[in-house]
Amino acid sequence: QVQLVESGGGLVQAGGSLRLSCAASGSRASIGTMGWYRQGPGKQRELVGTITFGGNTNYADSVKGRFTVSRDNAESTVYLQMDSLKPEDTAIYYCNARSIWSSREYWGQGTQVTVST
């Protein structure tokens, strides 16, 4: 089992920055790709960005050039640096981790990010 705990959400003005963190505990050796998803008001959950254990990243087109996913493998922690935030980035952001041994994936509890105009 893997537990994920996010931190760093909050309220920010448009154009500002926030950094989210997600720390994994439990069976950390089983973790492969980690990443972030978000769910805006009235919307489905969508990909923000992912990062493999080796550091390869993948981003949604809507955040490319503004958001950066990084990770500290020694600490089993993944980060999301969000710059040039827009009101449409307002959402609950969820941390995700995938097992390297199976198709199992784990989710954090979510952290609210609100971008005001």
Side-chain angles (χ1 to χ4, degrees):
Q1 279 282 10
V2 172
Q3 296 77 42
L4 302 173
V5 177
E6 301 114 333
S7 59
L11 174 65
V12 64
Q13 287 189 329
S17 298
L18 277 176
R19 189 188 195 213
L20 306 183
S21 300
C22 171
S25 61
S27 301
R28 297 191 301 168
S30 69
I31 296 173
T33 297
M34 300 183 76
W36 296 91
Y37 291 73
R38 69 185 181 186
Q39 186 166 14
K43 298 181 180 180
Q44 291 187 331
R45 191 174 297 188
E46 63 179 6
L47 168 74
V48 175
T50 61
I51 184 167
T52 67
F53 189 87
N56 293 318
T57 55
N58 177 54
Y59 296 97
D61 288 343
S62 59
V63 306
K64 281 181 181 177
R66 300 189 298 122
F67 290 12
T68 303
V69 179
S70 60
R71 68 189 286 172
D72 182 335
N73 288 330
E75 298 295 329
S76 298
T77 300
V78 64
Y79 305 96
L80 179 64
Q81 177 66 42
M82 302 184 290
D83 300 317
S84 302
L85 281 160
K86 304 175 181 180
E88 51 264 43
D89 294 319
T90 294
I92 300 173
Y93 283 70
Y94 296 91
C95 177
N96 173 272
R98 300 174 193 169
S99 171
I100 59 174
W101 307 119
S102 70
S103 60
R104 191 167 187 175
E105 58 183 347
Y106 304 92
W107 295 93
Q109 80 284 358
T111 185
Q112 177 71 47
V113 171
T114 302
V115 184
S116 63
T117 57

